Amino acid sequence: MMSMHYLAVAAILMIGMSALVSRRNLIKIIMSLHVMGSAVNLFLVSLGYREGSIAPIFTNAPSLQMVMPAPQALTLTSIVINIAVVALMLSFAILIYQHYGSLDPRRRRLSG
Amino acid sequence: MTLLSVFLEDTTALLVALPLLGAFSAPLVGKVSAKARNLWVIAIMALAELAAVSLLVDVLGGNPHFYAVGASDPALPSAAGFPFRIVLVADAMSALVAALAMTMALLSVIYSLRYESGNEGLEKYYSLVLLLAGAMMGLCLTGDFFTLFVFLEIASISSAGLIAFFSSAESFEAAFKYMVVSASGALFLLFGVGMLYGQYGMLNMASIGDSMAAQATFVDLAALSLLVSALLLKSGSVPVHMWKPDAYQEAPPQVVVMLVSFALLSLYLIFRICFSVFGAMVFPAIGWTVAILGALSIFVGVVMAVPQRNLRRLIGYAAIAEIGYVMLGVGTSLLAMHDSTGVGMSSMHGGIFHMLNDAIDMGLLLLVVGAVTYATKRQELDQVSGLAHRSGALAALFLIGVLSIAGLPPLNGFASKVIIYESVFRINPMLSVIGILGSIMMLAVFVKIFASVFLGAPYKGCFRKIPRSMLIPMVVLAVIMIFIGLFPGLVLERLVFPAAEALLNQEMYFGGVL
């Protein structure tokens, strides 16, 4: 059953990537990046998962079979970084909309 | 224990910590006065530069530093039996790139004192610059994969902020484009890191490299290709080069100098991951991919540079081509590392040496172009001409940069490009020919710019005098270039050979950490 996670990761990653290259709206591009980020986070969490184990808190632990703590720490960090990236990109999108009056990346001036 | 010995012992950590301290305290000091803020930023950067140079000198004396953050001994294993700490590693290679990136950052801060003095909100600008410098130091020195990801994201977020800093519609567009590319690159990197974690249950580069079997597994190779492609995205090679000209056109020139060193650091990380971690198991296909993409970058970069009319955009395309030369060196050394002929070794020397030269050459050209913009307030090629009559020094500095970037003899660009051509020729003559042709076209492009911007009838428009704080960084870079050009053997022997040695010596790298 372990491979279920990885199939889900692959599916979400594919959805994100296809949206990233096919959408023509800055907000949707940001959303697809965030979807890809969630896929990677799911991947990290499922790496450390062990069937039937408890959260890795040693105080009064009923058993020593625990999920691995390191991937969870990584995921927390990566969630925070993702939020920063998305917030920054959304603010760029707002400013671009103010200047060009459109969220379509084809209406632009830098090219060639 | 004297203060100096404490400083020397902790330089590795200070190198990351000092710019971060400066970044977060700059807005506070800026409340006092603009002058105090400038002094504070310069003092922090000078101290960090001192740390970087003393670290380099110490490491080249045969004394690599392994620094465990939050522990007295990097070799101390965790309860699980392997090092679970954040380790900073300074060997000859990482100390060299750290010193290079720090020098470029210091010069760019000195340059921005006057260049940006008319703008508002500069304390935030200096925060971002110092944040970028600290993150680059972290990238040079990091010894584990997750810290690598974190520093990579800090560096790309702060450089996106800097690209968009002096707001115009185009700069937001450039920053958005940059952010899309670098955020998706970082996600692929994290995915590759996750794969390695799933395989080995650790994140420390040295211990992962140590526990790899002699034959790479499928997961190793998949992770390696994800890591390499993510770093190539960051370095702006073909086919994902389109963010580069936009960003280089919109960001202030002294910031672009730092972006150039950031791009080179991603190539350094490819070196580090391929040689120090994966060692003998690197798949030749990866070497071919990097080398061929390098040749394509040279081609696309120079061909697209020809029709450009905006000076900074043109330099952006030239930077893509220059990255291509380093990639040729990296790729060929990956291909032929175990060749008995020593081709791999010499192309590695060429790659490392060109990394140094590329940062310095592009730095000088960008600063001169920035000075032209500062003096005339124009950056279109056909709006300025005859500047040599107004400022002979600027023309001379630009000429030095042009000759070096085109790889003409008594300058530094020649020394490293010749090593790359020679070694690449023995692997595949075609790639070498593309490199030489690219160099010639680059000369043509830049001679055209030189003629149209600096020669001709004297410039009539208003011309602001170039202040001394802007001239000094340019002169420093030009002097370094002439020095390297006159004594390439000295630089190779003292800096480049030990760096290549450190990359290949996996036992030393593992031994310090485990």
Side-chain angles (χ1 to χ4, degrees), chain B residues 148-331:
Chain B
L148 177 101
F149 165 73
V150 173
F151 280 126
L152 205 63
E153 281 287 33
I154 297 176
S156 24
I157 289 176
S158 51
S159 35
L162 282 170
I163 292 169
F165 197 83
F166 298 107
S167 347
S168 69
E170 289 86 3
S171 72
F172 297 133
E173 200 185 316
F176 190 89
K177 220 183 247 187
Y178 174 74
M179 220 44 220
V180 170
V181 170
S182 70
S184 45
L187 286 177
F188 282 116
L189 185 111
L190 188 60
F191 200 72
V193 171
M195 280 180 161
L196 285 177
Y197 183 85
Q199 180 92 334
Y200 298 103
M202 41 196 160
L203 290 163
N204 190 297
M205 288 187 194
S207 39
I208 287 180
D210 192 44
S211 42
M212 260 180 204
Q215 194 62 43
T217 61
F218 175 72
V219 177
D220 289 340
L221 292 178
L224 177 63
S225 28
L226 278 174
L227 294 176
V228 169
S229 47
L231 291 168
L232 284 181
L233 272 177
K234 293 269 176 185
S235 73
S237 90
V238 166
V240 203
H241 59 283
M242 62 288 180
W243 62 268
K244 219 168 177 179
D246 292 356
Y248 282 23
Q249 177 185 342
E250 290 308 321
Q254 74 278 8
V255 167
V256 179
V257 172
M258 294 181 75
L259 294 184
V260 169
S261 18
F262 180 30
L264 289 169
L265 284 190
S266 2
L267 293 181
Y268 151 74
L269 287 169
I270 293 182
F271 256 140
R272 171 61 80 207
I273 290 172
C274 287
F275 288 103
S276 293
V277 180
F278 283 79
M281 309 182 328
V282 173
F283 208 40
I286 287 180
W288 276 114
T289 314
V290 174
I292 290 173
L293 285 180
L296 280 177
S297 305
I298 297 175
F299 181 73
V300 171
V302 287
V303 167
M304 289 301 290
V306 174
Q308 298 306 322
R309 287 171 55 239
N310 183 304
L311 272 172
R312 291 198 210 158
R313 193 171 184 82
L314 192 153
I315 291 201
Y317 279 109
I320 296 172
E322 284 296 297
I323 285 287
Y325 287 100
V326 184
M327 282 167 61
L328 260 188
V330 176

Side-chain angles (χ1 to χ4, degrees), chain A residues 9 17 26 33 37 40 43 47 68 70-71 74 77-78 81 89 92 95-96 99-100 108-112, chain B residues 84 146 149 153 164 169-170 172-173 175-177 179-180 187-188 190-191 194-195 197-198 249 308 313 317:
Chain A
V9 168
M17 265 163 70
L26 295 187
L33 265 177
V40 175
F43 177 63
L47 277 177
M68 294 171 86
L74 303 193
T77 319
S78 117
I81 291 177
M89 291 182 68
F92 286 149
L95 290 164
I96 290 174
H99 279 92
Y100 291 120
R108 63 200 172 114
R109 290 182 55 196
L110 291 175
S111 58
Chain B
F84 218 77
F146 194 68
F149 165 73
E153 281 287 33
E170 289 86 3
F172 297 133
E173 200 185 316
F176 190 89
K177 220 183 247 187
M179 220 44 220
V180 170
L187 286 177
F188 282 116
L190 188 60
F191 200 72
M195 280 180 161
Y197 183 85
Q249 177 185 342
Q308 298 306 322
R313 193 171 184 82
Y317 279 109

Side-chain angles (χ1 to χ4, degrees), chain B residues 485-502:
Chain B
L486 290 181
F487 307 103
L490 191 72
V491 177
L492 272 174
E493 223 161 90
R494 291 286 168 80
L495 297 175
V496 175
F497 289 171
E501 193 61 38

Side-chain angles (χ1 to χ4, degrees), chain A residues 59-94:
Chain A
T59 320
N60 300 329
S63 85
L64 277 180
Q65 202 197 6
M66 298 168 173
V67 296
M68 294 171 86
Q72 300 189 353
L74 303 193
T75 313
L76 274 181
T77 319
S78 117
I79 287 173
V80 173
I81 291 177
N82 265 330
I83 288 175
V85 169
V86 168
L88 185 65
M89 291 182 68
L90 281 173
S91 63
F92 286 149
I94 294 170

Side-chain angles (χ1 to χ4, degrees), chain B residues 474-488:
Chain B
M474 294 188 251
V475 172
V476 168
L477 287 176
V479 168
I480 297 177
M481 280 161 67
I482 293 174
F483 177 80
I484 298 180
L486 290 181
F487 307 103

